[in-house]
Structures are given as C-alpha cells and as structure tokens.
Amino acid sequence: MINNNPIGLFDSGIGGTSIWKEIHELLPDENTIYLADSKNAPYGQKSKEEIVALSFKNTEFLLQQNCKIIVVACNTATTNAIKELRATYSVPFIGIEPAIKPAATHSKTQTIGILATQGTLNSELFHQTAERFQNTKIVEQIGHGLVQLIENGEINSVEMTNLLNSYLQPMIEANIDYLVLGCSHYPYLIPQIKKILPENIKIIDSGEAVARQTKNILKEKIGFNNQLEKSTQVFYTNSNPKVLTSILNNKYPVIYKDF
Ligand code: DGL
C-alpha cells in the first residue's frame, strides 16, 4: 500500500521528540511533521477539558497538513483525550501510555515505580490499566516540575538532580525493580536517573513500542511513502525554537508558528 502523506505527531512540547526519534529510526523514508505546543506546556496540571481542547487544536493543525496518521506523542494527552479524538476524526491515532504491562509482567519484586504527570496518573485510562495488575504494587510519583525544567533547557541543572533524587529515593526504598517513564519528556532524563538508581532497577519507556505500532498500522491500513527523494522532517513550535532545535542536535530547522 502507498500513501505519501506525512505522519503527524504532537506533544505539549519538546518531549515527544523522544517518540519521533524512534519512529524516524524505524521508518526513515517517511515524511513527518512534529508539533510542539510548548506555549501551553505543561499539560500535566491542566483539566481534562483543557487537555482535550488542546489535543483537538493540535490535531486540526496536523490534518490541515494532510497527515495520514497522528501519533499523540504525549502520555497526558493520550490518557485524557484519545477516546474523544478517535470518536471525532476518521484518521487513525496512535497513543502513548505508560508501559505498566511489561514492567509488571517482568518484575521479580512485584513492585514497580511509575514517574508521570498528574494528568496521566489521575486519568481513568491509567487507572483501568493499573487495575489489571492487582498482584503488583505500583509506586506512583508525579514528576512535579520536571517538564518545565526540560522545556527551559535545564536538563542538567542542580534543581533537576534534586527533584529526581526526591522522587526516586522513596521508590528505591520500596524495592522497585522497574521504573516506568510515563511521560515522553522523561527519556531525556535517563542519564541522570541512571546515576541515582542502583543497577538492578531497569528503566522502561514506550517509545519503541509506539514506533512499532505506527509501522504496523501503516502496513495494514494506510500505506508507506514511496517517493524517491529524501524524506522531509518538519518541526513546528509555538514558543522559542532554541530548545527544540538543540534537542534535535541542531540537525533540523524548526519553524516558529503561533498555532
Ligand atoms: N510529554 C507529556 C507527556 O508525555 C508532557 C507532559 C506535560 O506537558 O505536562 O505526558
């Protein structure tokens, strides 16, 4: 099947690029459009209604650019709005949810930790997933302040280290053997997190699974790009493009647009 339209992705900010990287690695010939709604970040403390409204706005923007599939590269938007998005639009949506299942399935201590936003941890969808793993203790922690620091380009700051320490120490004490990163911004914190966690605690996120799922849906329902020229990767932000440019290692131009 052939479809040369781009894959669209959106996030509350720059974090969803961790998902974009996985998708681009698996599907390098696909054109992509990434939308960073950094002006409205963080989504994590907003109400469900606000998150749904912002997710619709981002979707409209991507549909205007003829995206053939939309990847909601944000756990908070997925857990709060994907049902409403799917009920409204006919385009397929790929969502990202905390990887509770692999962590709970493989945990030997039957105790796992999850670091995510308030919006994700309070969502109905997250509770439904967590309830399926009654035999596993899930230590939940809201990552207050982490997204703002990442959006400000302060990944390696002392404040970041202090926050991570305060969030992870209680999990270590609770004897977790898996830490689930339930926010697409957090994979950028893995080097710092590794400095804090003992080696036996594994860190997992959902990026690779989302990329595989995107590929499957393209294969089964939508079609792949078959244009011979090099694929294009377009990035939009409605805030200062500096941090997004640098998280992409200055390899791609970033377009500022007030959407
Ligand atoms: N990247 C989002 C997520 O995966 C962001 C959260 C936020 O904006 O608070 O949940």
Side-chain angles (χ1 to χ4, degrees), residues 100 103-104 106-115 136-141 164-181 193-194 196-204:
I100 301 283
H106 294 111
S107 173
K108 294 205 168 54
T109 61
Q110 290 184 311
T111 311
I112 64 171
I114 169 158
L115 192 59
T136 306
K137 186 175 171 208
I138 303 177
V139 184
E140 296 177 20
Q141 175 64 54
L164 286 173
N165 255 315
S166 71
Y167 298 155
L168 299 175
Q169 285 307 336
M171 293 191 187
I172 298 169
E173 279 154 32
N175 202 23
I176 64 160
D177 58 356
Y178 277 87
L179 172 66
V180 178
L181 301 183
I193 292 175
K194 278 191 171 160
I196 299 170
L197 294 183
E199 266 177 29
N200 66 307
I201 301 179
K202 294 178 194 67
I203 304 167
I204 51 174

Side-chain angles (χ1 to χ4, degrees), residues 83-120:
K83 214 168 118 192
E84 288 78 357
L85 291 169
R86 286 185 173 139
T88 308
Y89 300 100
S90 56
V91 69
F93 286 90
I94 306 283
I96 174 166
E97 280 183 71
I100 301 283
K101 190 178 171 185
T105 312
H106 294 111
S107 173
K108 294 205 168 54
T109 61
Q110 290 184 311
T111 311
I112 64 171
I114 169 158
L115 192 59
T117 69
Q118 188 174 324
T120 295

